[in-house]
Amino acid sequence: MPLDQEFDNPTHEESEMTFIEHLEELRWHVIRAVGAIIVFTIGAFIFIEEIYDKIILAPSRSDFWTYRMLCKIADFTGAQGLCIDQLDFELQSREMAGQFTMALMSALIIGLLFAFPYAFWEVWRFIKPGLKPSERKMSRGAVFYVTFLFMSGVLFGYYVVAPLAINFLANFKLDPRIKNQFDITSYVGLISILTLACGLTFQLPVVAFVLSKIGFLNPRFMREYRRHAFVVILILAAIITPSPDVLSQVLVALPLSLLYEISIFVSAWVERNKKADAELEAKQEEDDAFNNPWTPDADV
């Protein structure tokens, strides 16, 4: 491009530089987020033996907190089938580098969990400047709510879903002569998948907020299909807890139902705010037209 044309069209270079600056900013946000994950992963690997003994392998023992609480509930309600006092299985490592590989993978997963709040905060810092003032106001506290819901889901998966699944799979036998000897990779994989899946599932109110904000979801639709949603939740609870005990299914279905109701409330709140913003914008346009009667749209 000739020099005179380049000076005549400065917006092209400014927009290109602005785009490059945004990419540079995004790069540093990603670098800091990945750095936090690496730091927590290294810290988890240093204390991996204590983590395995106190956290990862804890649900494989009958003295785990969840099992003790279930036995207390069983004594109180008389539903003795709810008490879990025996887990009939053994954990093995059948590969030469199996335990070392699982140590690395477990440390990485723990690093992701603990670095999640900071990593999401870095992503939010990049997204937030591009939002409108009204959108910033509505999304105030997003980092806190997303982190709180994610960690609540992880704890729910670790203390409720994972122990119930382990109990069913460990005590299910086609024949008493068949012994359950699980590979450590299978056990850790089950714990990881269930806890992370619950962490993501607990983001349902956040998903409802985003979809309602862009107009893909509304509270009327969610209320209309509430019964269908509860049936799906009950089916999921039955799959997760195949035990015939109704109480164990309620323990899983109740939080999911509560999340659905919270999502309806969030969707309704977003819709009210959108209507209020639309009314305010329409009033502002009327005021502008009244103050400037020479505009083509003004009533004379």
Side-chain angles (χ1 to χ4, degrees):
M1 178 183 293
L3 185 61
D4 55 345
Q5 294 183 14
E6 188 174 358
F7 279 109
D8 291 337
N9 189 20
T11 57
H12 175 74
E13 184 178 355
E14 290 177 2
S15 62
E16 184 178 358
M17 290 300 296
T18 302
F19 178 72
I20 292 175
E21 289 174 358
H22 278 295
L23 287 180
E24 181 68 14
E25 184 180 359
L26 176 62
R27 184 172 73 92
W28 281 108
H29 284 300
V30 172
I31 289 175
R32 285 192 291 267
V34 173
I37 295 173
I38 293 175
V39 169
F40 279 104
T41 299
I42 294 174
F45 187 78
I46 293 174
F47 299 99
I48 196 64
E49 293 183 5
E50 291 81 1
I51 291 173
Y52 256 82
D53 180 52
K54 304 296 184 182
I55 299 177
I56 297 178
L57 294 180
S60 67
R61 298 189 291 264
S62 58
D63 61 347
F64 185 53
W65 181 86
T66 302
Y67 304 141
R68 289 188 282 109
M69 293 301 105
L70 288 176
C71 288
K72 290 182 179 180
I73 295 175
D75 294 337
F76 180 77
T77 60
Q80 295 301 322
L82 194 63
C83 181
I84 301 173
D85 54 3
Q86 183 180 1
L87 295 171
D88 189 14
F89 72 96
E90 297 178 355
L91 292 176
Q92 297 181 353
S93 178
R94 295 185 174 89
E95 298 180 5
M96 183 67 70
Q99 296 195 46
F100 179 73
T101 302
M102 291 311 304
L104 290 177
M105 190 184 79
S106 302
L108 178 59
I109 294 174
I110 293 172
L112 287 170
L113 291 177
F114 280 93
F116 176 82
Y118 178 80
F120 181 77
W121 180 67
E122 286 289 350
V123 174
W124 181 248
R125 285 178 60 196
F126 177 76
I127 297 175
K128 188 176 180 180
L131 301 178
K132 298 178 181 179
S134 59
E135 293 174 338
R136 293 186 188 181
K137 182 179 179 181
M138 291 181 63
S139 58
R140 186 176 300 168
V143 176
F144 170 78
Y145 291 118
V146 170
T147 302
F148 174 76
L149 290 173
F150 180 76
M151 292 303 176
S152 299
V154 168
L155 292 176
F156 177 74
Y158 177 74
Y159 282 103
V160 178
V161 178
L164 293 175
I166 291 173
N167 169 63
F168 171 75
L169 296 174
N171 293 316
F172 179 81
K173 289 186 177 181
L174 296 173
D175 190 279
R177 294 170 296 178
I178 303 175
K179 294 183 179 180
N180 285 329
Q181 297 177 338
F182 305 134
D183 193 271
I184 185 63
T185 57
S186 176
Y187 172 83
V188 176
L190 178 68
I191 294 284
S192 303
I193 290 174
L194 291 178
T195 53
L196 292 177
C198 288
L200 295 177
T201 303
F202 270 55
Q203 298 298 315
L204 181 61
V206 178
V207 175
F209 172 84
V210 175
L211 294 180
S212 300
K213 184 64 180 174
I214 62 180
F216 283 176
L217 191 66
N218 59 71
R220 293 180 298 277
F221 175 83
M222 298 187 69
R223 292 191 185 101
E224 182 179 355
Y225 289 93
R226 178 189 276 123
R227 295 180 179 178
H228 302 77
F230 286 164
V231 171
V232 174
I233 288 173
L234 290 175
I235 294 174
L236 289 175
I239 294 174
I240 295 174
T241 60
S243 171
D245 267 318
V246 177
L247 286 177
S248 60
Q249 297 179 11
V250 171
L251 289 174
V252 176
L254 188 61
L256 298 179
S257 302
L258 180 61
L259 282 173
Y260 189 84
E261 294 298 328
I262 293 175
S263 300
I264 295 177
F265 173 79
V266 170
S267 181
W269 177 75
V270 172
E271 190 174 69
R272 287 196 301 269
N273 279 273
K274 289 172 67 175
K275 289 182 179 179
D277 292 340
E279 293 175 357
L280 182 62
E281 185 178 350
K283 186 177 183 302
Q284 185 66 36
E285 291 178 356
E286 291 178 0
D287 293 341
D288 293 342
F290 178 79
N291 295 329
N292 187 13
W294 297 106
T295 57
D297 296 333
D299 295 333
V300 180

